[in-house]
Amino acid sequence: MNASDQELVSQFTRAHSEDAFALLVNRYLNLVYSAALRQVRSPQLAEEVCQSVFTNLAYHAPKLKPNTVLTAWLYQVTRNAAIDVVRREARRQEREQIALQMSQMHTDPSEWTQIEPMLDEAMRSLDDAERTAILLRYFENKSLRDVGQALGTSEDAAQKRVSRAVERLRDYFSKRKITVGASGLVALVSANAIQAAPTGLATTVAAGALTTSAALSTATAVAVTKTIAMTTIQKTIITTLSALAAGAIIVSVYQAHKASSLREEVQALKQQQQVSLNAQMQELQRERDGATNALAALAAENAALKKNPPDVAKLRGEVGRLRMEKTSLGSTSALSKVTANAAAKKMLRDQQKLGMSMIYKGFAQQLKLTEQQTDQLNDLLADHIMNNVDHVTAVLRDKLTPEQMNELFTTQDAALHAQLQELLGQDGLSQYQDYTKNLLSTLTAEQFKGMLSGNDTAKQEKVKQLSQVIQSTVQDALTKAGLPADYQLVPTLNFSNIASEQEGERNLKLLDDIYQRATAQAGSFLSPEELIKFKQFTTTAISNNRAALALNRTMMAPIGN
């Protein structure tokens, strides 16, 4: 007997069962994909909506009430996600172009083609119970008995509710000059509302949703616009995402939580990530062991066949091939293994772009960049991270010296600056460098704002003062440490910290010193209670970033290390 939705959700939330979550994705993917496609009018964007919806499910699953009708919940989340995508796309295109594309897509005069573009808006006009009844009855073809059970009512009452909902849908279409009978409308919706999602999408969506959910287990990434790239618990930006399945560079933020709760949540996240990492490492180890065994067997055969030169030459060639295969497997990282899949790599890059757009939103506003310029800026920053991920992998794989490592990252920075100068001009590049140099002070103060007391004006003044204190402390600390003024102190944005454990510890120690000195100076404008909160904030920042750096280093290191 098939498990119920509630049973699968319970298995997923209690035991972190990926199989249970995959069953939920397979069960509802066609519903979500079809609803998304009707609204965004693009298969690629519909797949993006699916990823967003099931990521939301993975994140919100522990909070769902036992009587939640998952069909209705997913449908509403799909609606919201599709609206966000449509609005985003509308900003990128002229209205005339959108209208032309839409008109070209609706050349079929059939009743369904007339109804389809309006169906989800019509569904929105229904109340929650009516919408749920239609979804269960005609989108999922449930019996009236099942509908009644889901709604907590009788079969007869369910029939009446469905009938009323159908009439309201007919009225909606009638007002828009589309006349269709009740039976005809029911037949059209039942036959066409659900389409098969693309082959393989379920696997991609399930993996992506679990990946993002693991990194966002205490986060609300969509809502984060002012973020500090140092701690994780309640809000998180992913600049390089593949935490559960591939590894991540996590740019994180913190809001008030008890220290014990913080430690528990961080530990849970690390355990989830480690389980997946261990599975991947075991798989790669098996592949490498297989190559090792084959190599040993061929070497033995080589020794036995030395008297037959033609066979020996052939065998030596095979031995050489297997040695190369073994070396290749041993130098593969968990991250590169997963991102060999094009879809996973694209998701990784898209998440980086999202993270950078949030971190550099203030910079784009400061320069008054156009939407096109802002998009180009975020593309450059996302590609910059992707390139640096490759560089980190190379440093760990080839065991480069500190000098070689610094040259690698310096060259990459120079390439980015050249591209930014071409996009923004010399003055724009200078402002970018200043903004980046001050990320620690700006983002720390802005994120801590939510933990301050007083009205908005008072909070903003404290934010300004805290930012100035941290900024002056940073410059003094860098000078004493003999580091350049543009040294990046945000731990997970400084790729040397991932490539070298020693560099990472130096950064964290310096950051801790800066925070302690800033705390001492902030006593002139923060209350005693606010100072306590700030100390907790900074302590958590150091702890979580140490864990994030270690995780990323593990994920980017060769499996054979």
Side-chain angles (χ1 to χ4, degrees):
M1 182 176 178
N2 291 335
S4 67
D5 292 346
Q6 287 75 19
E7 289 170 339
L8 291 176
V9 169
S10 178
Q11 290 174 27
F12 172 60
T13 55
R14 284 188 295 101
H16 306 293
S17 170
E18 295 183 22
D19 290 340
F21 188 78
L23 285 174
L24 287 171
V25 172
N26 280 284
R27 183 173 293 180
Y28 288 106
L29 181 61
N30 289 344
L31 168 72
V32 173
Y33 178 78
S34 302
L37 186 60
R38 284 193 298 274
Q39 296 171 78
V40 300
R41 314 307 302 170
S42 161
Q44 291 76 22
L45 294 178
E47 292 183 16
E48 181 181 328
V49 171
C50 288
Q51 186 67 74
S52 175
V53 169
F54 286 104
T55 296
N56 266 281
L57 174 60
Y59 172 58
H60 288 287
K63 307 173 188 177
L64 293 179
K65 296 179 180 179
N67 62 346
T68 299
V69 178
L70 202 56
T71 302
W73 189 90
L74 288 169
Y75 184 82
Q76 186 58 45
V77 174
T78 302
R79 169 71 181 167
N80 295 337
I83 289 173
D84 289 341
V85 168
V86 169
R87 286 174 178 167
R88 185 195 70 199
E89 291 302 305
R91 289 195 296 269
R92 295 181 181 180
Q93 304 178 46
E94 295 293 334
R95 291 183 181 274
E96 292 77 10
Q97 291 176 319
I98 297 175
L100 176 61
Q101 292 171 1
M102 295 294 287
S103 65
Q104 290 173 342
M105 294 179 71
H106 298 301
T107 56
D108 184 353
S110 70
E111 286 182 314
W112 173 246
T113 306
Q114 294 176 356
I115 289 173
E116 182 188 13
M118 301 182 187
L119 177 59
D120 297 287
E121 192 63 38
M123 291 285 289
R124 188 185 179 198
S125 70
L126 304 178
D127 64 37
D128 291 344
E130 290 173 339
R131 187 184 309 113
T132 299
I134 291 293
L135 287 168
L136 293 173
R137 181 71 173 126
Y138 300 123
F139 282 59
E140 292 203 310
N141 295 314
K142 299 282 189 183
S143 68
L144 288 170
R145 181 181 179 183
D146 290 338
V147 175
Q149 288 179 344
L151 296 177
T153 187
S154 66
E155 183 174 337
D156 184 56
Q159 172 67 69
K160 292 177 180 178
R161 182 160 282 162
V162 167
S163 297
R164 284 197 302 270
V166 170
E167 285 305 313
R168 288 191 62 182
L169 289 176
R170 285 186 63 234
D171 289 343
Y172 181 93
F173 291 122
S174 178
K175 291 175 182 177
R176 288 153 183 79
K177 312 298 183 186
I178 300 175
T179 303
V180 59
S183 59
L185 177 59
V186 166
L188 286 169
V189 171
S190 297
N192 299 290
I194 302 299
Q195 300 182 39
T199 303
L201 181 59
T203 301
T204 301
V205 166
L210 290 172
T211 292
T212 307
S213 173
L216 300 180
S217 59
T218 53
T220 314
V222 176
V224 179
T225 55
K226 296 176 181 177
T227 57
I228 172 175
M230 284 158 301
T231 59
T232 179
I233 284 309
Q234 193 165 5
K235 294 181 178 178
T236 303
I237 291 181
I238 313 293
T239 39
T240 305
L241 170 72
S242 48
L244 182 61
I249 297 169
I250 305 177
V251 180
S252 329
V253 296
Y254 170 83
Q255 279 192 330
H257 257 253
K258 294 181 180 179
S260 60
S261 175
L262 291 173
R263 288 192 293 270
E264 290 172 2
E265 294 187 34
V266 170
Q267 186 61 34
L269 174 59
K270 289 170 66 177
Q271 288 175 352
Q272 291 173 2
Q273 293 167 334
Q274 192 61 45
V275 168
S276 179
L277 174 60
N278 289 342
Q280 291 182 52
M281 292 182 68
Q282 288 172 7
E283 178 186 352
L284 290 170
Q285 190 68 48
R286 283 194 296 270
E287 293 180 21
R288 194 179 64 164
D289 289 345
T292 300
N293 292 338
L295 179 61
L298 284 170
E301 188 175 349
N302 184 24
L305 296 175
K306 282 184 177 180
K307 296 181 180 181
N308 193 332
D311 288 343
V312 170
K314 180 179 179 181
L315 193 58
R316 283 175 178 167
E318 184 67 11
V319 169
R321 183 188 67 78
L322 285 169
R323 280 176 176 159
M324 292 178 63
E325 181 179 335
K326 178 184 176 183
T327 301
S328 175
L329 285 169
S331 64
T332 299
S333 70
L335 179 61
S336 60
K337 181 74 174 176
V338 173
T339 54
N341 177 278
K345 188 170 186 177
K346 180 181 183 301
M347 183 181 72
L348 184 68
R349 197 258 188 198
D350 288 345
Q351 291 294 338
Q352 295 166 24
K353 184 176 179 180
L354 173 63
M356 290 295 95
S357 70
M358 292 177 179
I359 291 177
Y360 283 90
K361 180 180 179 181
F363 172 70
Q365 293 173 339
Q366 175 183 312
L367 261 65
K368 298 180 180 179
L369 300 182
T370 65
E371 289 184 5
Q372 181 179 8
Q373 288 175 317
T374 301
D375 194 57
Q376 290 175 323
L377 168 67
N378 295 332
D379 277 327
L380 289 178
L381 295 174
D383 290 337
H384 176 64
I385 292 177
M386 290 292 284
N387 290 334
N388 273 321
V389 169
D390 291 339
H391 293 330
V392 171
T393 302
V395 172
L396 294 171
R397 181 192 63 223
D398 300 335
K399 296 180 173 57
L400 300 185
T401 65
E403 292 75 18
Q404 291 172 320
M405 177 184 71
N406 290 335
E407 182 180 357
L408 202 60
F409 292 125
T410 299
T411 301
Q412 179 60 43
D413 287 342
L416 173 64
H417 290 168
Q419 293 172 311
L420 290 173
Q421 182 173 345
E422 183 177 350
L423 174 64
L424 307 173
Q426 182 57 50
D427 183 60
L429 172 61
S430 297
Q431 291 189 57
Y432 164 83
Q433 291 170 320
D434 287 340
Y435 186 90
T436 301
K437 179 177 66 176
N438 295 324
L439 274 177
L440 179 68
S441 58
T442 303
L443 297 178
T444 299
E446 194 61 45
Q447 183 58 37
F448 189 65
K449 179 180 179 180
M451 303 171 69
L452 294 169
S453 58
N455 57 32
D456 288 342
T457 302
K459 288 182 180 180
Q460 195 57 46
E461 179 59 29
K462 291 178 182 179
V463 165
K464 181 180 178 181
Q465 290 176 295
L466 183 59
S467 178
Q468 291 172 344
V469 165
I470 295 174
Q471 196 172 124
S472 62
T473 305
V474 163
Q475 293 309 310
D476 183 50
L478 292 178
T479 300
K480 289 182 178 179
L483 293 169
D486 62 352
Y487 179 85
Q488 181 54 261
L489 276 160
V490 178
T492 49
L493 288 181
N494 187 331
F495 289 87
S496 295
N497 294 335
I498 302 172
S500 167
E501 185 174 357
Q502 291 74 19
E503 285 294 317
E505 283 302 315
R506 178 173 74 159
N507 187 310
L508 292 170
K509 183 178 180 181
L510 190 59
L511 181 60
D512 189 27
D513 179 58
I514 289 169
Y515 275 153
Q516 288 186 34
R517 289 199 279 167
T519 301
Q521 296 181 44
S524 61
F525 55 88
L526 294 182
S527 69
E529 293 78 11
E530 289 169 337
L531 279 175
I532 292 173
K533 291 179 181 179
F534 188 65
K535 289 177 182 178
Q536 292 173 342
F537 178 102
T538 58
T539 299
T540 304
I542 302 299
S543 174
N544 288 340
N545 274 275
R546 179 172 283 108
L549 291 175
L551 172 65
N552 283 283
R553 196 174 298 119
T554 300
M555 302 307 289
M556 295 182 198
I559 298 297
N561 275 15

